[in-house]
Amino acid sequence: MSHQSIIPQTPLESKEHEDHYNKICKDYNHLMETMPKSNGWRVEHLYNYNGLWINPIYIKANLLLHAYFKPQPTDIFLASFMKSGTTWLKALIFSTLTRHLYSFSDHYLHHHGPQSTFPFLDSECESYPISDFTHMCSPRLFATHFPRTLLPESMASCKFVYLCREPKDVLVSKWVFMSKLREKDLPPFSLDEAFDLFCEGVSDYGPFWEHVLSYWRPSLESSEKILFLKYEEVKRQPEVVVRRLATFMGVPFTTEEVEKGVVENIVKLCSFENLSNLEVNKKGVEKFGKVEVENREFFRKGVIGDWRNYLSDEMKQRIDGIIDEKLKGSALIFGA
């Protein structure tokens, strides 16, 4: 999904924007010289930006997001840690919100990958000028992997759907995904290295526990603004979750829609089995800034507990112990 860039209209505006952008570049360059860094998963290094490990491209994107993105009160954001089931939830959210625009016999998702349904904000703010979203119909949908603590305060009044997943499954899925996208001039990235880094909190947008807590804690206080979901509950009760999504987004299903099986049709349309077998998701490509990803890479297994095929008992005990300690007292529990 492409979006036009915001272009200043007058010479004065151009000069002001240029000066502002130059300051952002100066701030970014200073950060890059002073921030701690560690081994990256896809790129050579991740940098510790305000306590989170971020790809340098998205550090600059975050600065531009704060400077230029103008949220609207009706905006809805899908937030998640990488490899938590974002593609599936994107499809569910989009098809629920736009269910009056498409028929199930010839749906948008039959011809386009779920990643194209609404903008991934992180890559849309990757370069200057950032994309212009003013033409989008309300409510506008966006996706982000940024933890809540890195988002502008102006977005606090918007609604967020947050999706998390059992961390061991996240680790394995992220390692497989990032290994395929890893820059070609870097050495192979072993599971052991990924495991150690993950346990230290070092992975894109990590630490994992800080990410989930940044949405979990405010969701307890403002459930009308943050719908906190677990991948496992979506997997076990998709129809229940779709109805919750619709209500949360302000478009609840009518009795007539329920009786006609609209909820079940959305779940069937967006199922892993259906989407992964569509031609567009076998051969299509999605672009995120300068990075191109084949749609099929977003459809691996779609199961709960696949970590058992990769992690030893010792690895399980170590990561479980870390997660238990980091989430202690939060009332947030994972299990798979």
Side-chain angles (χ1 to χ4, degrees):
M1 182 176 289
S2 60
H3 301 273
Q4 295 180 334
S5 297
I6 300 174
I7 308 239
Q9 298 299 308
T10 68
L12 179 60
E13 286 179 333
S14 293
K15 180 66 168 64
E16 290 174 348
H17 277 73
E18 185 177 342
D19 290 345
H20 192 200
Y21 176 63
N22 287 337
K23 183 182 183 304
I24 291 172
C25 289
K26 187 176 180 180
D27 292 343
Y28 170 75
N29 290 333
H30 176 70
L31 284 169
M32 294 301 294
E33 293 171 358
T34 56
M35 288 182 296
K37 64 183 179 182
S38 185
N39 290 342
W41 292 44
R42 186 180 68 80
V43 297
E44 184 176 10
H45 292 118
L46 295 177
Y47 289 79
N48 193 293
Y49 175 60
N50 293 330
L52 286 304
W53 292 98
I54 309 293
N55 181 321
I57 290 176
Y58 294 129
I59 293 174
K60 189 169 185 179
N62 192 262
L63 294 172
L64 294 173
L65 172 70
H66 278 260
Y68 299 113
F69 180 67
K70 306 297 182 188
Q72 297 177 0
T74 54
D75 288 347
I76 300 172
F77 295 87
L78 166 58
S80 62
F81 193 75
M82 285 185 69
K83 309 315 295 175
S84 296
T86 314
T87 302
W88 186 20
L89 210 65
K90 253 193 166 186
L92 289 172
I93 288 174
F94 175 79
S95 54
T96 298
L97 193 64
T98 64
R99 61 186 184 272
H100 302 299
L101 300 179
Y102 303 101
S103 69
F104 290 110
S105 59
D106 187 27
H107 198 275
Y108 177 92
L109 288 172
H110 288 149
H111 312 286
H112 305 83
Q115 293 292 338
S116 73
T117 53
F118 49 94
F120 177 52
L121 196 58
D122 309 17
S123 60
E124 297 286 353
C125 294
E126 186 176 302
S127 58
Y128 175 82
I130 70 168
S131 298
D132 179 12
F133 306 108
T134 55
H135 66 285
M136 292 173 63
C137 297
S138 178
R140 304 184 306 179
L141 295 174
F142 298 98
T144 183
H145 287 318
F146 283 128
R148 191 165 174 81
T149 48
L150 290 187
L151 295 176
E153 187 61 35
S154 57
M155 290 168 61
S157 61
C158 303
K159 286 185 175 181
F160 283 81
V161 177
Y162 184 76
L163 181 66
C164 66
R165 189 180 188 182
E166 211 289 328
K168 295 187 291 296
D169 275 337
V170 169
L171 160 64
V172 169
S173 183
K174 192 171 188 177
W175 170 67
V176 172
F177 184 75
M178 291 302 223
S179 294
K180 291 179 180 178
L181 297 184
R182 190 167 168 85
E183 293 181 346
K184 302 304 180 189
D185 58 339
L186 296 177
F189 187 54
S190 70
L191 176 58
D192 285 341
E193 184 179 358
F195 177 81
D196 286 338
L197 287 172
F198 191 87
C199 288
E200 293 165 10
V202 183
S203 72
D204 297 65
Y205 300 97
F208 168 85
W209 46 88
E210 296 293 347
H211 200 289
V212 294
L213 288 174
S214 76
Y215 288 94
W216 169 251
R217 287 176 176 138
S219 77
L220 300 177
E221 301 171 1
S222 305
S223 57
E224 75 285 355
K225 288 294 184 182
I226 303 178
L227 177 61
F228 193 96
L229 298 173
K230 293 180 180 178
Y231 176 86
E232 293 76 18
E233 68 178 309
V234 186
K235 192 76 177 171
R236 291 177 181 126
Q237 295 185 303
E239 288 88 0
V240 172
V241 171
V242 166
R243 293 180 71 164
R244 286 179 65 194
L245 276 172
T247 301
F248 179 76
M249 293 189 296
V251 289
F253 290 99
T254 65
T255 302
E256 183 181 5
E257 285 180 310
V258 172
E259 291 174 350
K260 284 185 174 180
V262 174
V263 177
E264 288 81 1
N265 283 332
I266 287 174
V267 170
K268 183 178 179 181
L269 169 71
C270 301
S271 69
F272 180 89
E273 293 72 23
N274 182 56
L275 291 179
S276 62
N277 283 303
L278 293 175
E279 198 65 19
V280 67
N281 294 322
K282 290 180 179 180
K283 296 184 177 179
V285 173
E286 204 64 50
K287 194 169 184 180
F288 300 89
K290 297 176 182 178
V291 178
E292 286 191 350
V293 184
E294 295 181 27
N295 282 342
R296 61 189 175 89
E297 301 299 352
F298 294 107
F299 300 91
R300 194 173 74 88
K301 293 185 178 180
V303 297
I304 297 171
D306 185 49
W307 62 264
R308 293 183 177 89
N309 296 315
Y310 294 84
L311 305 183
S312 66
D313 288 342
E314 183 181 348
M315 295 166 91
K316 173 196 180 299
Q317 290 172 10
R318 181 182 171 194
I319 196 169
D320 283 351
I322 291 171
I323 296 298
D324 288 347
E325 176 62 30
K326 298 297 184 180
L327 300 184
K328 192 175 182 180
S330 69
L332 178 59
I333 299 171
F334 289 101

